[in-house]
Amino acid sequence: MEPPAIPHITEGFYPLPEIVETFSHHVLQELVSLAEVLPSMSNVEKKKKILDWLLRSRAFTMRLLVLARWVHLSPSVHRCIDVVAFLQGQKFCFQNLVHVLQDIRYQLSFARLRNSDLVTALDILSTGTSLRLANAPTSKLYMLSESPLSTKQILQTLHALNMLIRIRLSLYEIIPTPFQHFTIANGRCTFTVPNEFSVSLTTNSQDPKSTGISFQWIVVDFQFHLPDFSSTPAKYRVFIELHLNEEIAAAFVLQKPILPLIYNILHKFCLYQRLNLLSQQTFQLSRESWLGHLRGVYDEKPPRLRLYYWPQLNVKKEGKPGKIGHYIHIFVNTQPISAFERTLSSKRSSCEYDHFLLLVEWHHDGIVEHVPLDDHMDAQHLLLLITQKHAQLILEQIRKELHPNIFSEHVGGGLKIHVFDNEIIVKVNSVTGRLVLSSSASPLSPPRHLRAAEKNIALNTQPPAQILNRLYFFCIQTQLLEVAQCAELHAVQGYYSFPYLTFSKGKWRKDGDSLWVLAYNVESNSWSVRLLNAAGQTLYTQDVHTTKGTLSIESFSRLSYLLEVQILLFNVQTACQARGMPFEYLPIPPKALIEDDFTTYVQTGCLCIMMPSSNEDMLPVVFVRAHDGQLIFDSRIKGKLPYQSETETEKNCYIDWRTGRITIRVQNFSSFEKTWIGLLKLVALSKTSAFNVDCITLKHVDFTYLDDEKFRATIHDDNTFTLHFFNRHSPFHLISQFLQDTFSDGPSAIQPLRVIMDRTRGVLVAQELGYVVLARSLRQYRIILSKNHGIQVLLNRHGCILQDLSYLSADSRYLEGTQTLTSQWEPCSWLNTVWEGDLGDDELNGQIEAAPEMHLIKMNKTADLTAILKRILAISRKK
Amino acid sequence: MLPQDDMTDEMKSLASRLEDTTQAFYDLALIVYNLEDTTPSDAIPESLDTLIRDLKSLPDISRKVNNLIPQDVLEYIEQGRNPDVYARQFSELVQKDNQYVNGKLYAIEGFQKAFAEEIKQAYPEVSSVVDKILNEGKVESTVS
């Protein structure tokens, strides 16, 4: 019998003729559509459209060709598909078979009978009761009796235990020093070590005197007293109690002291637990607040903890992380027993125990430094302590490397750098180790340059001190530029480079492109005033002395004022150089002038000039200051002078006659020189001994001549003098016009005036007697006795000549003739005896020399002209 | 490459005509691409007539090849893949499934024997029924 044929699958199959026919129709339809669309296109678009269609259709044709070449395999593939479908059906049958078997198994599980309890049935049927159940462990036979212990019994037992433990500890046990403080209560003994642990021990022995045979300690309780770990988990307590009891049993066999053993075990356990706590705190910090900046490494054998902080501070070489140079090492170590402690050792306070200690070592820069570990110090406190120390070291190193002129100090855990009236505060972030820069002016929002400097320091491209140096100078420059602009100053570029900053104003530019500038040396923190020419060369420089005031707009204004002062003083120096006068600049003015110093930040200097003076009437030293565009000259007059009022002001000159101090305010040196010369002449006049000086002012000097004739010498702007006689009837009015040019610049300028007045006074006596006196010059006078009679008086170096006018020399007559004088002089006949040398007084006769033929007499300089003239005029009056 | 012996003349004829159609498309594209003033005026009409003639004759030729094409093969060709790969993979699949089912059948027969023995031991009273079922299968085999 043939097996049945497998099913023939027809779904999902397509006849080839249908495919080809569909393709043919589709392509031809597209061709028709293309023919309809092409007329509306341009030639290029037509070409493109046709090509696209042809290529796409060709691709479809290629696919159809592939299918045509494969079609001979379709019957075989079709049969394979049928076989696979049939086999798939077989698989499903097998799976269904498995499921059916599982269902049968599940259903048959309910077709069972329970096993009969033959044992119980046998017991009940044979004995009538269940003996096995009555003897089970849960029956009442195993329960305790209901008679409890009385309170008295309990207290008595505990009391006995207390006494037993006390006797044992007092007489037979070695107690280590940390265990010397203990309490005995409630049948147990509790040893407490502060900040570590407390452990409770009890005993089940009866005889305290036994030495290890029957007396045995039992640990019944344990509590942690670590600062950050006060609660004791149950698992710790159980573990410790079991472990300690085991160790006690072992030591019991070996006859070792129990309490030192317990202390050693627990103490070490607490140290390691504390180390573990520090480790946990470190890991927590490294994941939270110290994320990325802290790494904790915990080693198990032996237990120790290393904290690596501030990773970016590691020295980098060639872009690779260098060797770690700083970390904190926490470990447990044994400390030797000191001799002192051994001496004090006793049975109740023994030193025979392990002196383990938790030590902290700080490794930095190749140095190991021990840090004391406080009992209450956790990981964060330890880190903060170490990082604070490290920060101090870093800041100290930076402070040493800073520029010498930068003033810095340690303030409040940071480094404070003073920049004029502000401070740059450099701190080290305790978590990251980065330098944090802030400004005291704006602590919450640091300026951009501070943030930039901070970033540069973090990049570690240059040493921090170098960056801070540059930042410091930048801050100075910035502040100077800001303040200078407020003070109407602008920075000048191109003349000087670092470390100089130069400022100027438009009005400070002189003719010929010379420029006055204020120069500030950033490194030396000093100011100077400079004059530059067009080529940038320095023609003049002068240092400025500044006080310790803060720099501000006012300070810059004062600096500007100082420069203007310097310009004026420079002009004075130029004038002095031109005149060959020595001078010296004093940065700090003398004490006498300090009260006139108008600035607080900038002290204006003064110029000391040595005036060319040959007399000693005035001090040659003159101090020159400048203020408000004016030059102020200060000098003194030597000696005491009679003055009219104590102080006097005349135009640009002020004088204190009591002290002799003179202050002259002028615009330039020439004006001062003119005033100075005038003052010199005036003082020279007042110093004369030829006359009695009554008083002196800045305008004139009053004199007294022979106690009755007062006159005044007035000085004018051109340094010339005018004489004025106060007595309206003074005979000197006659010759006052000739007396104007008698003064000179010498110290004895007025001496000739005295001589002249002494000599002419004899001639002028005639005026007092009523005669008319004519003065032709200071040497030639005529006394008119009557209309046609007169006497001529000639004064010369050798003395005086009196002559009758009618007997003048021929030359004189000739000159008078040419002038066509109307009058003719007649001889004075009554004076013939005089011309013969007889004056009627022997004394006077001795002073004259007669010449009768010339009708004249001669007298020497020592002759008394006044007396002689009086005698002669008296003769004339008689006749 | 699979053998080509079972290709019929109709199949070969269809393939040849399809090649001609492809070439016609190419020739027309070449003429259009190089279209210039020197191109003969009857070039495009001639090529176009040839193309249309080939396209119209395709359905007539393909009606003689009445084979069914699986949809998977069409998808293969549409994606540009080789349909021979599909054929080879399917033949491998047939072999694999055949071996799998054969193994299953062998295992089930072994299980049948073991299961029958267990039932006979557990329930001796139903041994005759089990033997009857087993004999039924054998009888059929003997008859065949």
Side-chain angles (χ1 to χ4, degrees):
Chain A
M1 178 179 178
E2 289 293 334
I6 59 176
H8 187 64
I9 298 176
T10 57
E11 295 180 0
F13 285 85
Y14 299 95
L16 183 61
E18 290 184 5
I19 296 170
V20 172
E21 188 170 1
T22 303
F23 165 76
S24 178
H25 287 171
H26 179 70
V27 171
L28 290 173
Q29 187 66 34
E30 279 191 344
L31 184 58
V32 171
S33 301
L34 188 64
E36 293 175 353
V37 173
L38 284 181
S40 63
M41 293 181 178
S42 63
N43 288 337
V44 176
E45 288 178 354
K46 283 180 183 178
K47 191 172 177 181
K48 186 173 183 298
K49 195 79 174 180
I50 292 169
L51 281 173
D52 289 342
W53 174 75
L54 288 173
L55 294 177
R56 186 171 67 253
S57 301
R58 183 171 180 272
F60 288 145
T61 309
M62 292 289 291
R63 288 189 172 90
L64 199 59
L65 177 59
V66 170
L67 185 60
R69 288 175 177 174
W70 184 86
V71 71
H72 69 277
L73 293 176
S74 64
S76 302
V77 172
H78 200 172
R79 187 163 184 79
C80 287
I81 292 172
D82 295 341
V83 170
V84 168
F86 171 73
L87 292 175
Q88 190 69 30
Q90 293 293 309
K91 290 180 187 178
F92 290 153
C93 290
F94 293 141
Q95 288 181 7
N96 290 335
L97 180 61
V98 171
H99 290 314
V100 168
L101 289 174
Q102 287 179 352
D103 289 341
I104 291 171
R105 173 178 173 277
Y106 177 74
Q107 290 171 6
L108 286 177
S109 64
F110 300 105
R112 293 185 296 177
L113 293 174
R114 293 177 63 86
N115 294 326
S116 55
D117 191 1
L118 297 177
V119 176
T120 306
L122 184 60
D123 287 341
I124 293 172
L125 292 174
S126 61
T127 60
T129 182
S130 177
L131 297 177
R132 195 181 302 274
L133 184 61
N135 294 326
T138 58
S139 66
K140 294 182 180 180
L141 294 178
Y142 290 89
M143 291 184 179
L144 295 173
S145 63
E146 294 182 356
S147 59
L149 292 174
S150 64
T151 305
K152 187 175 180 181
Q153 286 177 327
I154 292 171
L155 290 177
Q156 188 175 3
T157 305
L158 291 179
H159 184 67
L161 277 174
N162 291 348
M163 291 300 298
L164 185 65
I165 291 170
R166 187 173 292 109
I167 291 169
R168 177 70 188 180
L169 289 175
S170 299
L171 300 177
Y172 303 105
E173 285 288 348
I174 297 172
I175 304 172
T177 302
F179 271 5
Q180 61 184 348
H181 300 289
F182 56 86
T183 57
I184 302 174
N186 297 327
R188 60 179 66 178
C189 172
T190 304
F191 299 94
T192 302
V193 180
N195 296 319
E196 285 198 25
F197 63 88
S198 68
V199 62
S200 299
L201 301 172
T202 189
T203 181
N204 60 353
S205 304
Q206 299 293 330
D207 187 6
K209 292 185 290 185
S210 62
T211 57
I213 296 174
S214 62
F215 194 91
Q216 185 177 2
W217 289 104
I218 299 171
V219 176
V220 295
D221 195 16
F222 173 82
Q223 294 287 338
F224 275 118
H225 288 297
L226 294 173
D228 299 323
F229 198 70
S230 297
S231 63
T232 308
K235 60 178 182 178
Y236 276 96
R237 184 185 299 110
V238 171
F239 168 77
I240 289 170
E241 289 173 7
L242 288 176
H243 180 69
L244 284 177
N245 287 324
E246 288 175 2
E247 292 293 330
I248 289 169
F252 180 80
V253 173
L254 296 175
Q255 299 295 316
K256 286 184 176 179
I258 303 299
L259 295 182
L261 175 68
I262 292 173
Y263 173 76
N264 290 340
I265 293 170
L266 292 179
H267 179 60
K268 189 179 287 188
F269 183 79
C270 285
L271 290 181
Y272 290 147
Q273 179 63 20
R274 191 171 177 202
L275 195 66
N276 192 20
L277 288 174
L278 288 174
S279 175
Q280 290 177 12
Q281 290 166 3
T282 300
F283 291 135
Q284 188 175 0
L285 287 175
S286 65
R287 283 190 296 267
E288 292 178 358
S289 56
W290 288 66
L291 179 64
H293 306 290
L294 176 64
R295 185 166 65 92
V297 176
Y298 185 80
D299 295 331
E300 290 290 345
K301 297 178 179 179
R304 62 174 182 172
L305 177 66
R306 281 177 293 175
L307 311 180
Y308 298 97
Y309 62 97
W310 296 357
Q312 75 276 4
L313 287 191
N314 297 328
V315 181
K316 295 182 179 178
K317 296 181 179 179
E318 298 179 358
K320 296 182 179 179
K323 181 181 178 182
I324 297 173
H326 56 278
Y327 61 93
I328 304 169
H329 187 202
I330 309 172
F331 60 101
V332 176
N333 200 3
T334 304
Q335 194 175 5
I337 303 170
S338 61
F340 179 76
E341 189 176 1
R342 193 179 295 275
T343 303
L344 294 180
S345 176
S346 64
K347 193 170 185 180
R348 291 183 60 90
S349 176
S350 174
C351 67
E352 296 295 336
Y353 61 93
D354 296 336
H355 288 66
F356 284 106
L357 207 62
L358 198 62
L359 296 176
V360 177
E361 287 182 348
W362 176 32
H363 296 248
H364 65 95
D365 304 324
I367 300 170
V368 178
E369 187 174 333
H370 290 273
V371 179
L373 185 63
D374 194 1
D375 289 334
H376 297 277
M377 188 181 289
D378 58 356
Q380 184 156 5
H381 288 153
L382 179 65
L383 280 167
L384 291 178
L385 180 69
I386 298 294
T387 51
Q388 190 176 357
K389 287 173 179 286
H390 204 159
Q392 288 294 323
L393 290 180
I394 291 171
L395 293 178
E396 188 62 32
Q397 183 68 24
I398 289 172
R399 188 160 181 264
K400 288 178 181 177
E401 294 174 0
L402 284 178
H403 197 271
N405 290 332
I406 297 176
F407 176 74
S408 60
E409 56 183 352
H410 284 285
V411 174
L415 190 66
K416 184 178 285 187
I417 298 173
H418 290 265
V419 184
F420 296 128
D421 54 347
N422 289 328
E423 293 100 9
I424 297 172
I425 301 170
V426 184
K427 288 187 175 179
V428 180
N429 190 312
S430 60
V431 172
T432 62
R434 289 181 54 172
L435 290 180
V436 178
L437 306 179
S438 63
S439 175
S440 63
S442 56
L444 294 181
S445 60
R448 186 185 303 173
H449 56 270
L450 284 185
R451 293 201 303 269
E454 195 176 304
K455 185 179 177 182
N456 285 333
I457 291 171
L459 290 175
N460 204 13
T461 56
Q462 288 175 353
Q466 188 173 343
I467 296 173
L468 287 176
N469 284 337
R470 206 163 54 242
L471 173 69
Y472 173 81
F473 294 135
F474 178 82
C475 288
I476 288 178
Q477 183 173 348
T478 304
Q479 286 200 32
L480 284 176
L481 291 175
E482 289 178 358
V483 179
Q485 285 182 0
C486 295
E488 298 179 356
L489 289 169
H490 63 271
V492 178
Q493 305 292 339
Y495 288 104
Y496 291 98
S497 60
F498 185 82
Y500 286 101
L501 291 172
T502 52
F503 305 93
S504 185
K505 279 187 179 180
K507 66 179 183 180
W508 293 350
R509 185 173 293 274
K510 298 172 64 179
D511 298 334
D513 289 332
S514 296
L515 181 67
W516 283 95
V517 296
L518 279 166
Y520 179 75
N521 190 324
V522 173
E523 287 188 349
S524 62
N525 196 21
S526 61
W527 287 92
S528 61
V529 173
R530 293 161 186 254
L531 175 62
L532 313 172
N533 61 6
Q537 298 171 354
T538 303
L539 301 176
Y540 170 79
T541 180
Q542 179 64 55
D543 292 334
V544 173
H545 179 265
T546 57
T547 60
K548 295 183 179 179
T550 58
L551 186 72
S552 62
I553 299 171
E554 190 179 9
S555 305
F556 257 97
S557 300
R558 289 165 180 166
L559 283 168
S560 304
Y561 165 77
L562 172 71
L563 189 139
E564 292 165 6
V565 163
Q566 289 293 326
I567 292 172
L568 294 175
L569 294 182
F570 177 76
N571 294 334
V572 171
Q573 293 183 42
T574 305
C576 290
Q577 283 178 347
R579 291 164 174 77
M581 297 161 60
F583 62 90
E584 184 180 352
Y585 182 77
L586 305 178
I588 303 172
K591 213 164 201 179
L593 305 178
I594 203 71
E595 56 190 353
D596 292 331
D597 190 0
F598 294 94
T599 63
T600 56
Y601 176 74
V602 176
Q603 280 187 329
T604 55
C606 72
L607 206 60
C608 180
I609 299 174
M610 187 68 66
M611 298 298 293
S613 175
S614 57
N615 60 63
E616 298 181 353
D617 297 327
M618 296 180 72
L619 286 174
V621 177
V622 178
F623 295 104
V624 188
R625 292 183 291 116
H627 178 59
D628 288 338
Q630 281 189 330
L631 289 165
I632 302 170
F633 295 81
D634 289 290
S635 184
R636 284 178 63 93
I637 299 174
K638 289 183 178 180
K640 294 290 185 179
L641 298 178
Y643 51 85
Q644 187 175 357
S645 61
E646 200 166 284
T647 60
E648 185 180 356
T649 301
E650 181 68 27
K651 286 193 282 186
N652 56 1
C653 189
Y654 167 86
I655 191 168
D656 187 348
W657 291 110
R658 185 176 59 82
T659 60
R661 180 170 176 175
I662 300 173
T663 302
I664 301 169
R665 297 171 181 265
V666 288
Q667 297 293 327
N668 49 39
F669 186 78
S670 299
S671 301
F672 161 77
E673 196 173 26
K674 185 178 175 182
T675 306
W676 172 264
I677 292 171
L679 270 178
L680 211 58
K681 291 181 177 180
L682 205 63
V683 173
L685 283 184
S686 65
K687 292 284 188 175
T688 184
S689 58
F691 299 98
N692 291 328
V693 181
D694 294 335
C695 68
I696 182 172
T697 64
L698 292 175
K699 292 287 293 180
H700 52 77
V701 184
D702 292 345
F703 300 93
T704 300
Y705 176 63
L706 298 179
D707 298 332
D708 60 346
E709 192 70 42
K710 297 181 181 295
F711 66 98
R712 170 177 289 180
T714 303
I715 192 168
H716 298 287
D717 292 338
D718 55 352
N719 289 336
T720 57
F721 286 91
T722 303
L723 293 178
H724 173 70
F725 293 88
F726 293 103
N727 188 3
R728 285 184 290 177
H729 304 289
S730 172
F732 289 97
H733 286 300
L734 184 63
I735 60 172
S736 63
Q737 60 178 347
F738 302 113
L739 297 174
Q740 308 305 328
D741 300 330
T742 58
F743 297 105
S744 67
D745 296 333
S748 59
I750 202 170
Q751 189 66 32
L753 180 64
R754 169 80 184 194
V755 174
I756 291 170
M757 291 181 73
D758 285 342
R759 298 173 66 188
T760 55
R761 184 169 182 277
V763 179
L764 298 176
V765 165
Q767 267 189 333
E768 298 176 0
L769 297 177
Y771 294 100
V772 176
V773 178
L774 301 178
R776 303 190 67 178
S777 69
L778 288 176
R779 297 176 178 275
Q780 188 173 354
Y781 300 88
R782 290 183 178 181
I783 304 174
I784 309 300
L785 300 177
S786 66
K787 182 179 178 182
N788 296 324
H789 300 85
I791 299 173
Q792 177 176 279
V793 182
L794 291 176
L795 303 172
N796 53 31
R797 290 193 302 161
H798 307 291
C800 177
I801 298 173
L802 298 175
Q803 187 179 18
D804 196 336
L805 286 176
S806 61
Y807 289 93
L808 290 177
S809 60
D811 294 339
S812 298
R813 184 188 301 271
Y814 178 77
L815 288 175
E816 290 183 13
T818 57
Q819 293 177 0
T820 65
L821 294 176
T822 57
S823 63
Q824 293 293 330
W825 299 105
E826 294 179 1
C828 301
S829 59
W830 65 90
L831 295 178
N832 289 333
T833 57
V834 173
W835 310 135
E836 292 174 358
D838 185 9
L839 294 176
D841 191 336
D842 292 339
E843 183 178 357
L844 293 178
N845 290 337
Q847 297 179 0
I848 65 174
E849 180 182 352
E853 63 279 5
M854 298 293 293
H855 288 275
L856 61 85
I857 57 175
K858 292 182 178 178
M859 294 175 286
N860 53 22
K861 290 194 289 185
T862 60
D864 189 354
L865 181 60
T866 305
I868 293 171
L869 278 176
K870 282 186 177 180
R871 176 72 63 180
I872 293 171
L873 294 176
I875 296 169
S876 174
R877 184 166 54 240
K878 283 180 182 178
K879 291 183 179 183
Chain B
M1 190 64 185
L2 296 175
Q4 301 283 340
D5 299 338
D6 52 350
M7 290 188 69
T8 60
D9 293 338
E10 291 79 8
M11 294 180 183
K12 292 179 182 178
S13 175
L14 179 62
S16 176
R17 185 51 59 93
L18 281 170
E19 288 177 2
D20 295 340
T21 306
T22 304
Q23 189 63 36
F25 275 116
Y26 181 77
D27 292 340
L28 184 57
L30 196 63
I31 291 168
V32 171
Y33 183 78
N34 296 324
L35 191 62
E36 290 179 358
D37 296 338
T38 58
T39 304
S41 60
D42 58 346
I44 293 179
E46 280 188 0
S47 298
L48 199 57
D49 289 340
T50 303
L51 177 63
I52 294 172
R53 192 181 315 111
D54 291 340
L55 286 171
K56 284 187 175 180
S57 65
L58 283 175
D60 297 334
I61 298 172
S62 65
R63 286 194 190 95
K64 300 175 184 178
V65 183
N66 193 16
N67 287 44
L68 296 174
I69 309 297
Q71 185 173 355
D72 293 341
V73 173
L74 294 177
E75 292 177 358
Y76 249 70
I77 295 172
E78 184 66 27
Q79 294 170 9
R81 299 165 73 179
N82 189 358
D84 290 339
V85 174
Y86 179 81
R88 181 166 63 251
Q89 286 180 355
F90 224 89
S91 64
E92 292 173 356
L93 182 62
V94 167
Q95 295 174 21
K96 184 174 67 175
D97 282 355
N98 189 36
Q99 291 178 3
Y100 179 83
V101 171
N102 186 47
K104 280 283 188 180
L105 194 60
Y106 182 79
I108 292 296
E109 286 179 354
F111 173 76
Q112 186 185 40
K113 292 179 181 178
F115 193 52
E117 290 296 327
E118 292 292 329
I119 292 175
K120 286 180 180 179
Q121 291 179 3
Y123 307 100
E125 63 274 14
V126 298
S127 295
S128 60
V129 177
V130 171
D131 291 336
K132 183 178 179 183
I133 293 171
L134 291 177
N135 290 331
E136 285 180 354
K138 290 182 179 180
V139 168
E140 289 179 357
S141 300
T142 305
V143 170
S144 64

